[in-house]
Amino acid sequence: MEIRRVGEIREVVAAEHLFDGPARVGAAERFLHEPGHHLLIAYAAERPVGMITGVETTHPDKGTEMFLYELSVDPAYRRRGVGGSLVRALAELARERGCYGMWVGTERDNTAALATYRGAGAAGRGRLRGPDVVVPEPRLNHIARNTSNTTRE
């Protein structure tokens, strides 16, 4: 498996089966060209099998952190470490970009997502935000560095 940072629309379109719906070219172009927006795709034999998006957010008194916006793995490749590898790759990118942390929100009953984030090294028990959302609080220094996969731009 190889993880690559996406920079071209054709890569997004080739991986649209990993998104909630078909790729919208205008939205994809805007996402890819917006500083601080990141899309990584995991490939197995050049086939897109997983994707993760991250968005840098900056607050005046905190600095910049990475928001893990979306994670998706092809059903045929689940429970093979693809999701955790993508989370670790995004965390490494966040470190490289000077982010002080990374966070994600998910539903309380989404056990697969919670297991993926904790398996990738998310620290803490998380906080409840509203009735249905848990925010595991991954700190970048707790997420294992991505050493088994290649990440390239």
Side-chain angles (χ1 to χ4, degrees):
M1 181 179 66
E2 180 181 28
I3 296 174
R4 297 192 295 245
R5 187 166 175 200
V6 172
E8 298 195 20
I9 297 300
R10 65 177 173 74
E11 296 171 285
V12 176
V13 172
E16 69 183 4
H17 65 282
L18 298 170
F19 293 91
D20 295 330
R24 294 175 27 201
V25 173
E29 285 176 344
R30 182 174 176 198
F31 186 93
L32 293 177
H33 292 103
E34 188 73 32
H37 286 61
H38 311 284
L39 171 58
L40 307 177
I41 294 180
Y43 294 88
E46 291 303 312
R47 172 177 157 58
V49 298
M51 71 87 183
I52 193 167
T53 56
V55 177
E56 294 175 36
T57 60
T58 303
H59 195 272
D61 69 341
K62 294 176 182 68
T64 301
E65 61 186 338
M66 184 70 71
F67 166 50
L68 191 165
Y69 192 97
E70 190 168 358
L71 173 66
S72 175
V73 176
D74 185 303
Y77 286 84
R78 290 182 183 160
R79 301 190 59 80
R80 296 186 187 189
V82 174
S85 293
L86 284 163
V87 172
R88 286 187 293 277
L90 184 64
E92 184 62 29
L93 179 62
R95 277 189 207 93
E96 291 170 8
R97 299 202 37 99
C99 295
Y100 75 86
M102 188 165 87
W103 66 279
V104 62
T106 191
E107 293 78 19
R108 199 183 318 194
D109 62 351
N110 190 341
T111 57
L114 292 170
T116 297
Y117 303 137
R118 289 188 179 122
R125 289 168 265 146
R127 296 187 313 258
L128 293 180
R129 295 258 175 108
D132 297 317
V133 179
V134 174
V135 181
E137 297 185 58
R139 291 292 170 231
L140 292 176
N141 60 337
H142 289 45
I143 295 179
R145 293 193 183 270
N146 185 4
T147 58
S148 62
N149 296 306
T150 303
T151 303
R152 66 176 190 194
E153 292 189 40

